[in-house]
């Protein structure tokens, strides 16, 4: 475990040269050991190590997630792998994956830093890019929406359209080329959820209106509220752009960008030094909108489905 932690600390040191907003703590092998230990102690964890000349030069650890959304799965999280030579991740996967498939776990996921050589090695294991994790600094100057849009904080009277927008994002994700199979809540469930949460001060909800009609919404919060961003992938003191959607009939007016900028501005005013978001890379809208707002991809979530 200490040897694996040393490899992870080395990987993270190189990663932070490209993304200094990522947490510096895990450049320390003792703190990296906390993350490796957590990966090892996750229920159902298994993997492999590479030993050369008596020295551990690579490791791979994965564990299943219980949610049926991911299929019969196994996950390699951000702290679940590190190698001295990127090519050797292929050997480690070859050693570990046989047991995973024998156990019926045919949906494989891995969170990989944006290291070209490491990504190439995973791609040559038949993995493809599925999801992006990204960060940018909080803005240091005010941002203004287009003159024909009004962006403001949501109020209780907005609940009907907020609920409709809650459904719009998973509807869009279910279309080509994303084809997400996520469960779609009912409108009644979405309304009930907003009735309960609209006054929650931990979340900042914004709406954009055009000609007096609300056409989109976005939500910001502390990154601490997101279970998808943790450990090495969690910048210190970060806000989170957790949701944004625009009604299909209103797309092209700049509302998505304005709503994203509203969360950026709120993050700066709240005192966060950076802002994190994530998106499906097959979502043609978000995968273009958020990089244009200055978000830089830090981790790639890759996916492979065995036997298809």
């Amino acid at each position: 475990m200490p040897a694996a932690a040393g490899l992870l600390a080395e990987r993270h040191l190189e990663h932070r040269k490209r993304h200094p907003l990522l947490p510096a703590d895990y450049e320390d092998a003792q703190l990296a050991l906390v993350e490796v230990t957590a990966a090892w102690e996750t229920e159902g964890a298994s993997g492999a190590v590479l030993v050369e000349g008596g020295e551990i030069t690579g490791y791979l650890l994965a564990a299943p997630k219980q949610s049926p959304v991911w299929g019969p799965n196994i996950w390699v999280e951000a702290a679940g792998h590190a190698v001295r030579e990127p090519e050797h991740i292929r050997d480690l996967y070859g050693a570990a994956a046989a047991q995973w498939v024998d156990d019926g776990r045919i949906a494989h996921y891995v969170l990989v830093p944006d290291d070209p050589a490491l990504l190439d090695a995973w791609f040559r294991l038949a993995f493809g890019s599925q999801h992006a994790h990204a960060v940018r600094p909080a803005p240091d100057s005010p941002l203004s929406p287009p003159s024909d849009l009004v962006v403001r904080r949501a109020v209780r009277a907005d609940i009907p359209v907020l609920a409709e927008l809650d459904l719009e994002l998973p509807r869009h994700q279910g279309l080509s080329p994303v084809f997400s199979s996520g469960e779609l809540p009912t409108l009644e469930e979405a309304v009930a959820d907003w009735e309960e949460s609209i006054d929650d001060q931990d979340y900042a909800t914004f709406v954009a209106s055009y000609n007096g009609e609300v056409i989109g919404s976005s939500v910001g919060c502390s990154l601490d509220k997101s279970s998808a961003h943790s450990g090495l992938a969690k910048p210190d003191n970060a806000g989170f752009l957790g949701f944004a959607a625009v009604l299909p009939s209103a797309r092209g007016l700049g509302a998505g960008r304005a709503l994203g900028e509203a969360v950026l501005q709120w993050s700066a005013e709240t005192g966060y030094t950076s802002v994190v978001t994530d998106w499906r890379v097959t979502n043609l809208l978000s995968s273009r909108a958020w990089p244009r707002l200055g978000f830089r991809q830090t981790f790639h979530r890759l996916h492979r489905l065995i036997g298809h």
Side-chain angles (χ1 to χ4, degrees):
M1 300 295 285
L7 292 169
L8 182 62
E10 291 174 11
R11 192 199 81 187
H12 193 61
L13 174 64
E14 292 302 312
H15 198 194
R16 288 196 69 250
K17 291 178 180 178
R18 299 186 299 279
H19 300 285
L21 290 172
L22 291 174
D25 292 354
Y26 302 107
E27 294 179 8
D28 182 332
Q30 291 302 311
L31 295 176
L33 180 58
V34 175
E35 293 296 298
V36 177
T37 301
W40 171 247
E41 292 180 348
T42 302
E43 183 178 357
S46 63
V49 293
L50 179 67
V51 183
E52 298 179 279
E55 179 188 6
I56 291 176
T57 59
Y59 76 95
L60 177 65
L61 283 170
K65 293 191 177 188
Q66 298 306 313
S67 173
V69 170
W70 308 112
N73 66 81
I74 196 84
W75 281 73
V76 183
E77 299 285 6
H81 63 112
V83 285
R84 190 70 49 78
E85 295 292 335
E87 177 67 15
H88 288 164
I89 201 67
R90 286 158 45 85
D91 301 280
L92 287 163
Y93 178 79
Q99 184 62 54
W100 301 339
V101 174
D102 284 348
D103 292 341
R105 301 194 178 280
I106 61 171
H108 298 180
Y109 301 84
V110 56
L111 202 59
V112 184
D114 67 329
D115 178 300
L118 191 56
L119 284 167
D120 177 68
W122 281 105
F123 286 155
R124 287 184 289 111
L125 286 165
F127 280 79
S129 184
Q130 183 187 54
H131 203 84
H133 293 237
V135 65
R136 58 151 289 167
D140 53 12
S141 58
L143 305 169
S144 300
S147 58
D148 53 352
L149 293 176
V150 174
V151 178
R152 58 170 174 79
R153 292 292 285 265
V155 296
R156 189 162 288 275
D158 296 318
I159 286 177
V161 70
L162 288 171
E164 179 62 31
L165 287 160
D166 268 6
L167 304 186
E168 194 51 55
L169 181 57
R171 280 188 192 130
H172 178 73
Q173 300 274 55
L175 301 176
S176 180
V178 184
F179 298 116
S180 171
S181 59
E183 185 176 348
L184 189 69
T186 67
L187 184 61
E188 292 75 17
E189 289 170 335
V191 168
D193 184 59
W194 275 110
E195 290 283 359
E196 183 178 340
S197 63
I198 188 72
D199 298 318
D200 190 337
Q201 296 302 305
D202 289 338
Y203 296 87
T205 302
F206 298 90
V207 295
S209 61
Y210 179 75
N211 288 338
E213 297 291 329
V214 172
I215 59 172
S217 66
S218 62
V219 179
C221 61
S222 167
L223 189 58
D224 292 337
K225 298 291 185 180
S226 171
S227 60
H229 300 267
S230 61
L232 289 82
K234 182 182 178 184
D236 298 325
N237 191 35
F240 181 44
L241 173 55
F243 176 88
V246 176
L247 295 174
S249 60
R251 290 174 187 155
L253 298 174
R257 181 182 182 91
L259 287 161
E261 288 179 338
V263 172
L264 293 178
Q265 189 67 47
W266 168 83
S267 296
E269 293 170 354
T270 304
Y272 296 118
T273 52
S274 64
V275 186
V276 166
T277 196
D278 58 87
W279 61 86
R280 282 292 179 98
V281 296
T282 43
N283 183 331
L284 304 184
L285 299 178
S286 58
S287 65
R288 292 164 180 164
W290 303 143
R292 288 170 183 162
L293 274 187
F295 285 99
R296 293 183 59 212
Q297 190 166 347
T298 53
F299 284 89
H300 299 248
R301 188 175 84 206
L302 309 184
H303 174 52
R304 179 184 183 187
L305 188 61
I306 304 297
H308 296 274

